[in-house]
Structure formats: C-alpha cells, structure tokens
Amino acid sequence: MTQNRLYFFDTTLRDGEQAPGCSMTAAEKLKMARTLESLGADILEAGFAAASDGDAAAIQTIATEVRGPVIASLSRSRKEDIMRAAEALEPARRSRIHIFLASSDIHLQYKLRISRDEALNQAGESVRLAKQYVDEVEFSPEDSTRTDLDFLCRMVSIAIEAGATTINLPDTVGYAIPAEYAAMFRTILEKVPGADKVILSTHCHNDLGLAVANTLAAIEAGARQVECTINGIGERAGNAAIEEIAAALHVRQDKFPIEHGLDLTKLYPASQELASTISFGPSPNKAIVGANAFAHEAGIHQHGVLSNPLTYEIITPSAVGVPSNRMVLGKHSGRAALRARLIQLGYQLEAAEIEAVYHAFTALADRKKAVYDQDLINLVAQRERKAGLVSANS
Ligand code: KIV
Ligand code: ZN
C-alpha cells in the first residue's frame, strides 16, 4: 500500500442518486459513470443492487462497460443483499461489495433491534461471505461518529479479521466536527490490530456544513480513501463534494503532500453534466463549480483581479475546467472593469469618454441589478449621439 496515495471513491451514483430530485435512468447512470471514469475516480459506487431490479441492472451494465475504476455495490449485512450485489458485479474487471451495518446504540436499538453482540456476529459473517465473490470488501459501521469508541474498535477489528480490505467510518448524520473525526481515525489506527494494513476511508455528510472539513481532517489523520459526490449531492444536506476536496488538496499541497489520480480540469464539465441530468445544479455561491465561484462584481476586487488574478482567486478557473473568470457589471463595479469590458466589446475610448460612460453606467446600475453588454452598447451610442449633437450645434 502506498501511504501517500489517496483513493477517490465516488458515490454520486449511489448516495447521491438516492437524494430527492437526483434519481437517474440507467442510461444516465452509465453516461455519468463514463464521465467519472475520465475524471479519474478510483472506485465507482454504481448503486445498491438489492434496492431494485433497475439498480441491479444499472450496476451490471456499468460493471460491463466501465473498465477503469473498481465498481462497487452497496449491500446491507445480509445474505440476500450480498448475493444480489455479487451477481450484479460479476462482469466487473475489479469488483467491490460495500457492506454497511449500524454500530451506534441508537441505530441498533431503534432501527435494527439487535444487540451489540448480534451486530458483531453479523459483521464477521457478512464480510466472510462477500469475500468469496468479489475482489475487495469494504465494511462501514454505519453512524460511526455516534458509536461508543470501544465498541467501534471491536466491530472494525472483527471486519478486518474477516477479510475487509477497506474500513469506512461514516459520519452518517453529519454530526462530527473535524478534530473529533480525525481523533476517531487515530484511535482506530492505534487500537485495532491490522488497521494499518487496510485502507481507512471517510464518508461525511454535510448536515452542519462540515463534510469537506471533516474529510480533510481525516486525511491528515491517516485516511487514504475519500467518499464523495459531484456537486456534493447526497442524503439530506449531501455528501462531501469531490470538487471541493480535490481543489483543497491542490491549493494546500503544503499541508497535504499526497498523490491521487483525479484530473482536476474535468471537475467543472462533470458538475455541469450532472446538473443537466438531475433536477438541479449547484447553488451560485457553491465553491469551485458555482456560477459565482470565479465571478467578481465589486470594483476593488475587479481592479485587483484584472491586474493579477491571484489577488482574489486562490486557484485558476482553468485548473478546474471553468472556461474563465467573469466580471459582472453592477452598481459595485468600478472603472477598471468597465474599461476592460468596453475594450472586449470593441470600444477604444479616451479617458474623458470613459469617465462620461462610467457616470451613465453607475446611474443605470443603481436602477438595474446587472448591466449587460447591450446596456453598455446603448450607453456608448447615447454618448456618441450627444457628442455629435454638441459638435453639430457648436
Ligand atoms: O452515510 C452512510 O452511513 C452511508 C453508508 C451506507 C456508508 O451512506
Ligand atoms: Zn451516506
């Protein structure tokens, strides 16, 4: 195992797809799987085979057609689910069954209605069974972050002994804070025999807006797989967003001396493709892929970015596949952005003319939310007409 290689496990097609407004047809899932492959995701969780015949069929098609990444299916800790997953994954070049089983008392008591000992037995048995059918077995103690730590260590230890190759510690309900999530990984590494021989994985939900922060904290603590989705889609407030994790690792290489296989320039196209496939896109202020992520309206910022983008941009738009940054002309904009836009529109105006257009522009911007190219063309035309009248009359 390379200690510095980080594996991206994309669950857009499973945790992402199971969120409201995010379902996809089998054809859409296959197209998205190809996009995720070209993005460089290492593992694709293609669905949950036991959830429906349609999902099983979609996993099987992806396993047949998409040959680069490991293809995974989610599975409850039950024989029927494991067999459905194994069957759907049969054509895969490399296959993984991802077994989850609740570990927190609240889930054991109110959801599964089983004792801790019963859960430990199920964990060992299901991993041993899955091992017979696939190349890799991942085990997730669901709701890890609300689980008694000693019990979590016992469950993880049993899963490793039974042959799990990846141990995922999900923050199922987005409850953890970064230092605490990192400490959980350190404890597992310290206390569980063999934990340093498997891949430890993060899976963070965004209920408190901390999914990416928690993911990064766990990487610092030794996690070497991150589970994430395009645009951060997923249950409730979503999962950790792949584009945010990748950009953070890129911008802060000083803190994360780590290798991975993602091609960052494919992030924005993947985000756009997902947005056009499901019912919604990222919010405008979404980091990295939102419409405003590289847009500037305030005059001071526009002036800075026009003279050197590094003044207000920590990553270039092209590094993540965004075609360019954008100067939005509105009431907060200054002369520098106006001049730059007028030049792009083909107007080479003298300083005095720019000043006059600028005054007309600010008056208009006070009345309108945004000033478009056609507004600028009209303003210049008005100025030219006025100037023509003045010189004709004089
Ligand atoms: O959030 C969660 O706990 C999950 C598991 C199935 C890994 O999605
Ligand atoms: Zn989840």
Side-chain angles (χ1 to χ4, degrees):
M1 185 199 321
T2 318
Q3 282 307 322
N4 274 337
R5 175 67 156 88
L6 181 73
Y7 296 93
F8 274 88
F9 176 115
D10 186 282
T11 184
T12 305
L13 303 176
R14 198 280 297 169
D15 209 322
E17 206 234 350
Q18 77 195 42
C22 296
S23 65
M24 293 174 235
T25 63
E28 288 167 343
K29 280 183 100 167
L30 177 60
K31 185 161 179 274
M32 203 65 222
R34 291 205 164 104
T35 299
L36 294 167
E37 177 181 37
S38 81
L39 172 64
D42 300 288
I43 303 108
L44 296 190
E45 189 164 51
F48 182 0
S52 71
D53 289 345
D55 225 23
I59 296 170
Q60 193 161 23
T61 308
I62 292 170
T64 309
E65 305 277 331
V66 182
R67 310 300 288 173
V70 175
I71 307 298
S73 169
L74 187 67
S75 166
R76 281 169 297 186
S77 179
R78 294 183 183 180
K79 185 169 181 198
E80 321 82 83
D81 275 32
I82 291 169
M83 300 316 288
R84 289 287 277 151
E87 195 187 333
L89 290 168
E90 211 273 321
R93 188 185 61 82
R94 252 190 116 63
S95 54
R96 177 181 298 191
I97 294 182
H98 174 194
I99 297 170
F100 72 103
L101 175 63
S103 52
S104 65
D105 287 331
I106 187 165
H107 277 225
L108 291 177
Q109 207 176 327
Y110 293 99
K111 193 181 74 173
L112 299 182
R113 297 179 198 285
I114 58 172
S115 67
R116 284 184 173 188
D117 282 343
E118 284 169 307
L120 293 179
N121 281 340
Q122 270 191 30
E125 272 173 28
S126 57
V127 172
R128 270 188 294 278
L129 179 66
K131 276 297 268 185
Q132 297 172 31
Y133 297 99
V134 280
D135 302 304
E136 300 170 8
V137 177
E138 171 169 336
F139 182 78
S140 290
E142 191 191 13
D143 204 15
S144 286
T145 50
R146 293 191 301 169
T147 299
D148 171 76
L149 209 45
D150 287 336
F151 180 66
L152 185 68
C153 288
R154 280 174 67 205
M155 193 180 252
V156 167
S157 164
I158 284 173
I160 292 175
E161 259 174 49
T165 44
T166 299
I167 296 291
N168 181 44
L169 301 175
D171 185 23
T172 303
V173 290
Y175 170 77
I177 57 174
E180 189 180 49
Y181 195 54
M184 183 177 71
F185 281 80
R186 289 199 183 95
T187 304
I188 295 288
L189 276 168
E190 257 167 44
K191 296 207 170 150
V192 176
D196 57 334
K197 304 282 183 305
V198 299
I199 299 268
L200 295 186
S201 166
T202 70
H203 179 110
C204 298
H205 280 272
N206 209 27
D207 300 68
L208 295 176
L210 293 172
V212 172
N214 285 335
T215 302
L216 296 175
I219 295 173
E220 283 188 306
R224 285 297 174 266
Q225 173 179 287
V226 289
E227 302 199 354
C228 44
T229 60
I230 301 284
N231 295 345
I233 65 168
E235 288 284 1
R236 305 178 309 281
N239 286 68
I242 192 168
E243 59 278 359
E244 294 180 15
I245 301 169
L249 297 178
H250 175 78
V251 172
R252 299 309 308 269
Q253 283 170 39
D254 57 329
K255 295 280 177 210
F256 299 95
I258 222 153
E259 292 161 20
H260 64 75
L262 284 198
D263 174 354
L264 268 62
T265 64
K266 305 264 172 69
L267 286 169
Y268 182 69
S271 158
Q272 292 286 295
E273 183 185 328
L274 180 68
S276 66
T277 306
I278 61 173
S279 311
F280 57 90
S283 65
N285 63 332
K286 167 87 172 60
I288 311 301
V289 293
N292 287 354
F294 295 96
H296 309 276
E297 180 179 329
I300 294 168
H301 290 210
Q302 290 178 330
H303 187 204
V305 170
L306 287 167
S307 72
N308 182 344
L310 290 177
T311 51
Y312 287 101
E313 289 176 0
I314 54 169
I315 184 169
T316 63
S318 60
V320 289
V322 174
S324 70
N325 60 16
R326 217 161 43 88
M327 297 296 154
V328 178
L329 292 176
K331 69 175 181 178
H332 306 106
S333 306
R335 289 170 181 75
L338 177 66
R339 191 185 310 111
R341 192 75 199 127
L342 287 171
I343 290 171
Q344 279 169 356
L345 291 172
Y347 297 107
Q348 296 287 348
L349 303 185
E350 300 291 325
E353 288 170 320
I354 298 257
E355 198 56 28
V357 175
Y358 177 69
H359 284 295
F361 159 76
T362 50
L364 180 64
D366 266 337
R367 300 196 303 273
K368 287 189 81 192
K369 285 217 155 79
V371 177
Y372 298 101
D373 289 350
Q374 193 54 50
D375 296 317
L376 294 184
I377 293 167
N378 293 343
L379 287 180
V380 175
Q382 274 167 22
R383 280 297 312 157
E384 282 171 352
R385 273 201 303 276
K386 235 180 185 173
L389 275 179
V390 170
S391 59
N393 290 339
S394 56

